[in-house]
Amino acid sequence: MTTETMEAPAIAVPTATPPHPVREFWGYFSANHGAVAGLVIIVAVILVALLADVIAPHDPNLTNTAIALKPPFWQEGGSISYPLGTDPIGRDILSRLIYGAQLSLLIGIVVVAISIAIGTVLGLVAGFFRGLTEIFIMRLMDIILTLPSLLLAIVIVAVLGPGLMNAMLAVALVILPHYVRLARAAVITETSKDYVTAARVSGAGTTRLMFREVLPNCTAPLIVQASLGISTAILDAAALGFLGLGAQPPSPEWGTMLADAREFVLRAWWVVTFPGLAILITVLAFNLLGDGLRDALDPKLKR
Amino acid sequence: MALVEIENLSVEFPTQGGIMRAVDGVSLKLEEGEVLGVVGESGSGKSVTMLALMGLIPFPGRVRADKLAFNGRDLLTISDKDRRKLTGKDVAMIFQEPTTSLNPSFTVGFQLTETLRLHEGMDRKAAERRAVELLGQVGIPSPESRLSAYPHQMSGGMNQRVMIAMAIACNPKLLIADEPTTALDVTIQAQILDLLISLQKERNMGLVMITHNMGVVADTAKRVMVMYAGQIMEERSADDLFASPQHPYTAALLAALPERSEGGRLATIPGVVPGLYDRPKGCLFSPRCAYATEHSRNVRPTLKPWAGGHIRCHYPLGDPNRDAEIQHDHPVGTEAAS
Amino acid sequence: MAAPPFSVLAMLRFILTRVSLIIPTFIGITLLAFFLIRLVPGDPIETLAGERGIDPARHEQLRKEYGFDKPIIVQYGIYLARVLQGDLGKSMITQEPVLNEFSSLFPATIELALCAIIFALVLGLPAGIIAAIRRNSIFDHGVMGISLAGYSMPIFWWGLILILLFSVQFDLTPVSGRIDVLYYIEPITGFLLIDTLLSDEPEAFWSAVNHLILPTIVLGTVPLAVIARMTRSAMLEVLGEDYIRTAKAKGLSRFRIVALHALRNALIPVVTVIGLQIGVLFTGAILTETIFSWPGVGKWLIDAIFRRDYPVLQGGALLLGVVVMSVNLLVDLAYGLINPRIRHTR
């Protein structure tokens, strides 16, 4: 808005320069302590997942009934070699949590990747072709949105059969509408802009237009939605695991660990506390990051 | 005793990039029944000055002044409670966007009677009767049936009439009109201005007309204050100002009026009002001024008495020694206009 | 241009439009239910009839009845006609009609869901409003932090932790069920809080309340977080509107501005969010009921999955979907009532 005076320093005598866009983004992002905390936690979880083989003290699936239900090291009867205690069949909880991080990140990323891939294609198609195609796609998405997400996921898994793969597919389907709507809305706003008209006039094909010209321009909201989507995916997959419909034992998936531990809630607090805490912290981190990204990328909220 | 006394008022807003000074050292006196025009481009601080008088500067804005008084009451030390007794009753304000300035969830009648019941202690019946009367006074046809209408059911012009009815409901001593016609159709603009002027005469109330449109001021105000980048640039009687503007900025504003254009091409002022990052060291208008010199670029002029008013300029247009002074101070030419 | 003033006719038209809009959604849900059960591995006739190992004669009869010899669209027509008559098949296990089982269990779920949403509203609305008024205060940051944690909460774990704390550690609340086994309460309304008061055992009411506390908190946590966040942001947006400045310029008290002028407008998006939370609530009910052995439709559905009771799964999911859809419709209508602008357009 002040470009006119900015480009002509002979006219205006600037006393300070406005910040560069990337620095401005980082300025807004880093001013949000929660978002930075989220980012730090996510990096930490990624590192733990990548280095699981190195840092896990035990094999996550090694059972030893002799040391079943050992409490964490600071409690009486606990030992430092099993820092967070052991589960009912003597597996080291810390090691299981560390390997569980691999699973949770994998679930989050794969689910969101599937959803984004299918969702943006459907959204782009709906936005570009309009008419009946659009009505059909958007109506379908509305129906998916109307149904409670976990209920839909549960029904799908119940029919397809329990298991991690099916749970991931179900969750991917459930979060699909967000990406379809986003991509469609972006296409509709973007196609009305001049650069798309220019590309059309110069003879660019529809497919090329969709992927080369429009898609790069709706990445910002997609990134935000992806971050929030990962948290939903991890949470819903864990819920399915908890209900016995997701990853199956002896998988160290956090939700599945909780399902195994449920009946011991009265006797051994640590077997239920730590897996859930891991879920909460990871999901919270992705939500914090998503919120921070949205605030930093959304120009409407900037003063 | 003047109705409004403002001395050295400044309003600041902290932002990400530093402190933004929206109003800078504004002083102003307004007598009872006087009509003052406040003119300037958007961002010149004209609205913020009046919002400060109303006590409506939003958080985290800071208001500072040597004196800020209304009708003899010191507004700097007044309690919130006493201030609320004053605002809406003795001093009222109408705004630029009539449709968004009315609450979409309540009927016109509710919003109008609310003021009457609060400040005049009327009961519902009496307030409704008075509301119908007021709507009639501001020229709304069949006022009884409008009481139950919602703002979105009426046109912008009608909504502005409702806003005016609300503002004059308690016979204020001062009415501040902040760009009251900017958002309206041209045909409606004249009607609203006429209404405001006739109400002002009838009730002998003070009227501050904030506008960016010199034409509006010419039609209404007795005295004019020209603001730029938060400062007063020139202030004098309307007749003098229109006959012989003393500040180059005022002259440029007048030259931009369609009826004053020469040679069929509308004059424009190059550049924009300085923002937070490009506030000049010297005269705030110097980057856009056709007569800027090395001196005016580096030294900020003060507001000094001049030709029956006040002016903030090193080289007033009516100064006989002006050309010599400009030559002496190394003119930087007119590259701004090129 | 002046729109016509409020009229019964406009209201009726508004309601009819909204009702007609849910028809495609209803068809979509029934289509989903119709196709899902056909994807179940095994013999579809046995699955549909809810009987196992049936003899060939009966098999043939059922085949005709379900229209398996006819095109798929006719089969769907037959299914839709049955659904509309309230015939959702019968449970493979109990041989009870699915609709009967659902309606006997649904009050327990509603009772829990209602308590949870009231809990969320009573805490969430004031928290959001105060956070907005005291923007950037410690209270504001606290509310936002806690609500983000609530929003990220795995509620199945949250339930276990609350049991661990309140039931195991302090022995304050029961671990499971709706009421102490000592009491037998004749179901009149199906809502235990009411039925116990109508019964001759008043202390049974306190037992019911005691059983409700933890499930209510667990189920209400996510809606509480969402409502607090939404109320805050809606309030912040409204407080920046021109008409709030007008209200201030009228000399209204701060309380009146916030509680009347701002809240009335801020509630519009909040009501929508509450409506959307109903869906989340039923999802949460599935988990909450599983944790607390709460005899509602959520637990019934999960049990049906593990018993491979597909008619119950199909009918139950369809009914829950219809309930959520209807609640969304009601919210939409309520939205029209509090927002005159919506009521008058279209």
Side-chain angles (χ1 to χ4, degrees):
Chain A
M1 85 212 154
T2 53
T3 45
E4 213 175 326
T5 38
M6 293 318 303
E7 283 162 7
I11 302 170
V13 187
T15 51
T17 39
H20 186 267
V22 175
R23 277 198 60 181
E24 195 187 6
F25 165 79
W26 181 249
Y28 280 106
F29 185 82
S30 59
N32 186 338
H33 300 304
V36 176
L39 187 64
V40 169
I41 294 171
I42 290 168
V43 170
V45 174
I46 291 174
L47 285 179
V48 164
L50 288 178
L51 301 174
D53 290 332
V54 185
I55 55 175
H58 301 274
D59 180 332
N61 293 321
L62 186 71
T63 61
N64 180 358
T65 38
I67 51 158
L69 290 180
K70 243 182 179 340
F73 70 91
W74 61 85
Q75 273 201 344
E76 210 186 316
S79 105
I80 196 72
S81 67
Y82 298 97
L84 298 181
T86 59
D87 73 358
I89 48 174
R91 292 174 295 193
D92 177 43
I93 289 182
L94 179 64
S95 305
R96 289 181 68 72
L97 288 179
I98 289 171
Y99 279 93
Q102 285 183 337
L103 275 174
S104 280
L105 284 180
L106 187 76
I107 291 167
I109 292 163
V110 169
V111 164
V112 170
I114 295 174
S115 242
I116 286 189
I118 300 174
T120 44
V121 169
L122 284 178
L124 290 176
V125 167
F128 260 102
F129 296 113
R130 311 303 287 267
L132 268 179
T133 328
E134 184 189 23
I135 294 173
F136 178 76
I137 293 175
M138 297 323 289
R139 218 50 245 180
L140 196 66
M141 294 304 127
D142 283 352
I143 292 165
I144 296 180
L145 270 185
T146 306
L147 293 168
S149 62
L150 193 60
L151 174 67
L152 190 59
I154 285 172
V155 173
I156 294 169
V157 176
V159 172
L160 296 180
L164 186 56
M165 256 337 272
N166 290 342
M168 276 158 63
L169 275 180
V171 177
L173 182 74
V174 161
I175 62 171
L176 188 62
H178 298 286
Y179 301 100
V180 178
R181 284 185 161 193
L182 242 165
R184 173 179 161 271
V187 171
I188 289 174
T189 11
E190 295 294 330
T191 41
S192 62
K193 287 182 185 162
D194 290 342
Y195 74 91
V196 174
T197 318
R200 268 214 171 123
V201 169
S202 66
T206 308
T207 324
R208 192 191 150 80
L209 259 180
M210 283 200 296
F211 290 98
R212 294 292 297 274
E213 309 289 339
V214 174
L215 199 55
N217 279 288
C218 54
T219 39
L222 275 179
I223 290 171
V224 173
Q225 193 59 49
S227 178
L228 298 173
I230 291 178
S231 72
T232 314
I234 294 176
L235 203 54
D236 279 4
L240 288 175
F242 176 76
L243 290 172
L245 297 170
Q248 298 296 305
S251 160
E253 198 272 320
W254 295 336
T256 311
M257 282 174 76
L258 269 175
D260 288 350
R262 243 185 87 188
E263 52 189 301
F264 297 95
V265 62
L266 302 180
R267 281 166 48 201
W269 62 269
W270 58 93
V271 292
V272 293
T273 305
F274 296 122
L277 214 51
I279 300 173
L280 173 62
I281 291 171
T282 312
V283 172
L284 184 61
F286 276 103
N287 278 334
L288 282 169
L289 178 73
D291 271 11
L293 285 176
R294 185 181 47 209
D295 291 353
L297 290 172
D298 187 352
K300 268 190 301 184
L301 293 170
K302 290 181 185 171
R303 262 169 296 164
Chain B
M1 179 190 63
L3 185 63
V4 175
E5 283 174 278
I6 300 175
E7 269 169 40
N8 199 17
L9 170 77
S10 58
V11 181
E12 290 172 342
F13 294 94
T15 69
Q16 205 91 30
I19 289 184
M20 213 268 289
R21 183 168 282 196
V23 175
D24 188 359
V26 164
S27 298
L28 163 73
K29 258 201 175 102
L30 189 77
E31 301 298 329
E32 251 173 85
E34 199 184 341
V35 183
L36 172 74
V38 182
V39 197
E41 287 164 276
S42 26
S44 62
K46 53 196 192 307
S47 301
V48 182
T49 306
M50 290 306 146
L51 288 175
L53 177 66
M54 292 288 289
L56 293 181
I57 297 296
F59 182 82
R62 278 195 303 263
V63 178
R64 267 195 297 249
D66 294 342
K67 185 167 192 183
L68 187 64
F70 175 79
N71 206 18
R73 302 279 305 261
D74 181 3
L75 298 181
L76 290 170
T77 54
I78 196 168
S79 71
D80 272 4
K81 208 175 156 197
D82 288 342
R83 164 148 236 157
R84 282 201 298 271
K85 282 186 191 150
L86 218 64
T87 41
K89 183 173 191 307
D90 290 334
V91 47
M93 189 161 179
I94 60 174
F95 303 96
Q96 182 172 348
E97 291 281 350
T99 308
T100 55
S101 293
L102 288 165
N103 194 322
S105 293
F106 295 99
T107 61
V108 164
F110 176 88
Q111 298 185 56
L112 192 46
T113 50
E114 189 179 32
T115 317
L116 291 164
R117 294 174 72 176
L118 173 74
H119 290 298
E120 307 285 335
M122 291 184 183
D123 63 27
R124 211 185 123 149
K125 278 272 156 56
E128 266 172 17
R129 271 197 304 276
R130 176 93 176 105
V132 172
E133 225 174 276
L134 283 163
L135 288 179
Q137 278 175 26
V138 296
I140 291 182
S142 59
E144 297 86 355
S145 67
R146 293 293 177 167
L147 285 186
S148 58
Y150 286 92
H152 68 272
Q153 295 174 301
M154 309 208 302
S155 66
M158 281 297 152
N159 280 332
Q160 193 60 296
R161 285 174 195 270
V162 171
M163 281 296 290
I164 294 172
M166 245 159 70
I168 61 166
C170 307
N171 299 313
K173 294 189 171 68
L174 173 66
L175 174 63
I176 301 168
D178 185 358
E179 305 261 10
T181 59
T182 309
L184 304 177
D185 289 345
V186 185
T187 46
I188 312 293
Q189 289 186 2
Q191 293 176 14
I192 295 290
L193 285 182
D194 287 347
L195 173 66
L196 282 171
I197 289 303
S198 69
L199 286 169
Q200 185 272 330
K201 289 209 174 100
E202 242 166 65
R203 293 155 182 253
N204 191 36
M205 74 186 169
L207 176 63
V208 174
M209 185 72 81
I210 302 172
T211 177
H212 65 266
N213 185 343
M214 273 288 185
V216 170
V217 186
D219 292 341
T220 52
K222 292 280 165 302
R223 197 153 62 91
V224 182
M225 187 168 104
V226 179
M227 287 189 71
Y228 184 81
Q231 295 185 333
I232 298 177
M233 290 289 134
E234 182 171 4
E235 178 264 302
R236 71 185 60 248
S237 83
D239 292 342
D240 288 356
L241 184 120
F242 281 96
S244 64
Q246 294 297 309
H247 197 288
Y249 180 56
T250 318
L253 282 178
L254 287 173
L257 280 178
E259 55 267 39
R260 294 198 177 211
S261 68
E262 288 157 20
R265 186 136 187 209
L266 222 51
T268 55
I269 312 174
V272 291
V273 181
L276 178 58
Y277 297 112
D278 53 0
R279 215 167 160 83
K281 198 167 107 203
C283 172
L284 294 178
F285 186 60
S286 63
R288 304 170 70 187
C289 183
Y291 312 108
T293 64
E294 285 299 324
H295 178 64
S296 74
R297 285 268 169 96
N298 289 308
V299 179
R300 200 167 283 180
T302 53
L303 192 68
K304 60 191 178 196
W306 182 263
H310 290 85
I311 189 168
R312 190 190 289 274
C313 181
H314 293 299
Y315 321 110
L317 292 175
D319 186 352
N321 305 325
R322 177 164 189 275
D323 288 345
E325 274 178 39
I326 290 177
Q327 278 314 316
H328 174 263
D329 290 342
H330 309 291
V332 286
T334 52
E335 76 258 60
S338 60
Chain C
M1 36 144 211
F6 171 79
S7 76
V8 180
L9 211 71
M11 196 69 206
L12 211 66
R13 205 174 55 202
F14 167 75
I15 293 175
L16 279 178
T17 331
R18 293 298 146 131
V19 172
S20 67
L21 274 177
I22 66 163
I23 292 172
T25 313
F26 177 74
I27 292 176
I29 298 176
T30 50
L31 269 175
L32 216 62
F34 172 78
F35 279 113
L36 271 180
I37 199 132
R38 278 163 175 72
L39 289 175
V40 171
D43 180 44
I45 309 250
E46 289 190 353
T47 313
L48 283 173
E51 293 166 38
R52 289 204 178 102
I54 38 186
D55 62 82
R58 170 107 175 106
H59 195 277
E60 192 51 34
Q61 183 204 339
L62 284 171
R63 237 177 87 82
K64 285 243 164 59
E65 203 177 311
Y66 288 112
F68 264 72
D69 47 351
K70 301 194 181 75
I72 194 96
I73 182 86
V74 179
Q75 294 178 31
Y76 172 69
I78 293 172
Y79 170 69
L80 194 62
R82 278 170 178 260
V83 167
L84 290 176
Q85 285 161 26
D87 176 8
L88 295 163
K90 50 186 202 246
S91 160
M92 282 180 163
I93 311 293
T94 61
Q95 298 299 320
E96 276 280 307
V98 171
L99 190 63
N100 290 9
E101 290 205 342
F102 182 88
S103 45
S104 71
L105 294 170
F106 196 47
T109 301
I110 295 191
E111 186 171 46
L112 177 57
L114 272 181
C115 288
I117 200 82
I118 291 170
F119 164 79
L121 279 175
V122 165
L123 289 181
L125 277 180
I129 293 169
I130 297 172
I133 299 172
R134 306 215 175 131
R135 189 183 188 176
N136 286 330
S137 67
I138 294 171
F139 182 85
D140 183 20
H141 290 302
V143 166
M144 284 303 97
I146 292 171
S147 76
L148 196 67
Y151 186 69
S152 311
M153 189 65 81
I155 64 164
F156 42 97
W157 172 73
W158 183 224
L160 295 177
I161 291 301
L162 289 180
I163 289 176
L164 204 57
L165 271 178
F166 290 98
S167 308
V168 180
Q169 210 69 21
F170 301 116
D171 200 18
L172 288 174
T173 50
V175 177
S176 69
R178 274 182 96 185
I179 194 160
D180 206 291
V181 283
L182 286 174
Y183 305 107
Y184 174 74
I185 304 296
E186 191 67 42
I188 302 167
T189 60
F191 298 108
L192 268 184
L193 288 183
I194 299 171
D195 288 351
T196 48
L197 286 178
L198 295 175
S199 75
D200 43 8
E201 291 175 288
E203 64 274 30
F205 175 73
W206 295 111
S207 168
V209 169
N210 220 7
H211 280 77
L212 249 174
I213 293 173
L214 287 192
T216 296
I217 296 175
V218 168
L219 188 53
T221 298
V222 174
L224 167 62
V226 174
I227 288 172
R229 275 167 77 89
M230 191 65 213
T231 307
R232 175 182 178 270
S233 72
M235 213 49 196
L236 277 179
E237 193 170 326
V238 166
L239 285 174
E241 293 283 351
D242 286 350
Y243 51 80
I244 295 303
R245 189 178 56 185
T246 307
K248 285 181 189 157
K250 282 158 97 173
L252 302 179
S253 70
R254 229 176 120 72
F255 179 78
R256 193 177 167 93
I257 292 172
V258 170
L260 199 69
H261 287 257
L263 193 58
R264 178 77 169 257
N265 290 289
L267 276 183
I268 294 168
V270 174
V271 167
T272 316
V273 163
I274 294 169
L276 293 176
Q277 284 306 304
I278 306 288
V280 178
L281 218 56
F282 284 114
T283 307
I286 296 173
L287 293 166
T288 313
E289 289 178 3
T290 307
I291 299 165
F292 292 98
S293 305
W294 188 266
V297 291
K299 188 172 180 301
W300 172 64
L301 271 182
I302 294 298
D303 290 346
I305 293 174
F306 290 106
R307 292 175 187 148
R308 305 199 181 284
D309 195 345
Y310 291 107
V312 165
L313 184 64
Q314 182 199 31
L318 176 68
L319 283 169
L320 262 188
V322 169
V323 166
V324 171
M325 189 181 79
S326 313
V327 173
N328 284 347
L329 174 71
L330 286 178
V331 170
D332 219 14
L333 294 177
Y335 191 87
L337 284 180
I338 58 169
N339 186 355
R341 234 183 310 194
I342 297 283
R343 189 167 65 219
H344 290 131
T345 46
R346 267 164 289 147

